[in-house]
Amino acid sequence: MLFMKTIEKICELLSAEDLKKSGTAFFSNHTTLRKGKYMIIGLNPGGDSNTINTTIGDSLKNGKFYDNEYNAYYESWLPDGREHRLQKNLKSLFCYLDDDLKSVCATNLIFERSINEQTISVEKIEKYQKIIELILQEVNPEVLIVFGQKPLTEIKKHYKIDKESVCYTESGHGKWRIELIKSKEVKIIGLPHLSRYVLYSRKEVLQQLKNFIEDK
């Protein structure tokens, strides 16, 4: 199980205290931690760390990550059984791309759970940079789907993206413009945070994203 070496390295990079904190590492299962066309990176797990007891360590060592059928985007997140906006957005996007969301490695810039991004320090982001680099090395995606400003900023730093490589298209969501980036190594799609943005009903935007991915 080659993916276990990556998991061991991630655990080594985190402190014992980090591993005890409420959070999760992956929203997909272990079979996606390998070379893949796509990879998804968000900011961090949402929810209240005082009421959600699953720890980062649990998710890396004992969690659903080891269930071949597991994918968090197909679980029930809301108490009334409704589909969460983030889940609906990603399902709709991959349906439009005619690809399987369940086969895509999905993670976050930060594994620790918090209610909002204001609680995420620069020091915490720096700690996780090496972890994201490990995962990127393992998956080596052709297309990175990134949502949220902080994850996008860090990914652009990682790939040393310059301003000339970035194209913009209107999102229809306030002043946010979607970033479409094509480098020698990867294509990057920078989206508004998918918990707040409604992508699933914006057919023109979905088509633009598909065209960008398919463009040689």
Side-chain angles (χ1 to χ4, degrees):
M1 296 188 289
L2 295 176
F3 75 92
M4 282 304 299
K5 291 183 179 179
T6 302
I7 299 300
E8 288 168 7
K9 288 178 183 176
I10 291 172
C11 290
E12 288 170 6
L13 288 166
L14 293 170
S15 68
E17 193 61 33
D18 289 327
L19 293 170
K20 293 176 184 176
K21 290 179 179 176
S22 175
T24 190
F26 295 94
F27 285 72
S28 55
N29 66 66
H30 71 93
T31 66
T32 66
L33 194 53
R34 61 183 179 187
K35 172 68 180 126
K37 180 176 180 179
Y38 297 98
M39 182 170 157
I40 297 167
I41 300 180
L43 178 60
N44 72 324
D48 186 351
S49 60
N50 294 316
T51 59
I52 303 175
N53 298 321
T54 304
T55 68
I56 295 168
D58 289 337
S59 75
L60 285 166
K61 298 174 182 178
N62 312 305
K64 296 177 182 179
F65 178 66
Y66 296 91
D67 179 349
N68 289 10
E69 301 302 316
Y70 170 70
N71 186 288
Y73 301 129
Y74 290 82
E75 293 198 323
S76 178
W77 287 4
L78 299 176
D80 59 3
R82 287 183 298 114
E83 192 171 43
H84 192 281
R85 182 177 293 173
L86 190 153
Q87 296 172 301
K88 189 171 182 178
N89 278 327
L90 285 171
K91 287 179 186 178
S92 297
L93 173 59
F94 278 86
C95 180
Y96 205 86
L97 296 175
D98 195 24
D99 221 312
D100 181 15
L101 175 59
K102 290 183 178 180
S103 69
V104 178
C105 182
T107 188
N108 281 309
L109 177 65
I110 305 294
F111 297 166
E112 186 178 334
R113 192 177 310 284
S114 71
I115 296 173
N116 57 57
E117 67 177 63
Q118 282 70 38
T119 60
I120 300 173
S121 65
V122 172
E123 291 78 12
K124 199 170 289 183
I125 290 174
E126 288 175 348
K127 177 183 287 190
Y128 276 93
Q129 282 175 335
K130 290 182 180 179
I131 293 174
I132 292 300
E133 287 170 5
L134 269 176
I135 300 169
L136 286 169
Q137 184 178 3
E138 195 73 22
V139 179
N140 190 22
E142 298 171 34
V143 180
L144 259 175
I145 296 167
V146 185
F147 55 92
Q149 188 57 61
K150 284 186 179 178
L152 181 59
T153 298
E154 295 306 312
I155 289 299
K156 286 161 73 174
K157 285 181 188 175
H158 172 78
Y159 286 104
K160 298 179 173 62
I161 301 298
D162 55 38
K163 292 180 180 179
E164 288 71 28
S165 302
V166 182
C167 294
Y168 298 92
T169 186
E170 295 302 320
S171 69
H173 180 74
K175 295 181 180 179
W176 186 292
R177 293 184 297 169
I178 294 170
E179 296 191 27
L180 303 175
I181 303 164
K182 188 185 293 186
S183 74
K184 292 180 181 179
E185 299 165 279
V186 67
K187 290 181 178 180
I188 303 169
I189 296 173
L191 295 165
H193 200 291
L194 295 179
S195 291
R196 295 184 288 274
Y197 180 48
V198 176
L199 175 62
Y200 56 83
S201 62
R202 302 181 193 275
K203 296 295 176 64
E204 289 185 6
V205 176
L206 288 167
Q207 187 60 51
Q208 283 180 303
L209 302 184
K210 185 174 183 178
N211 291 345
F212 172 69
I213 291 168
E214 294 178 347
D215 181 40
K216 302 300 182 182

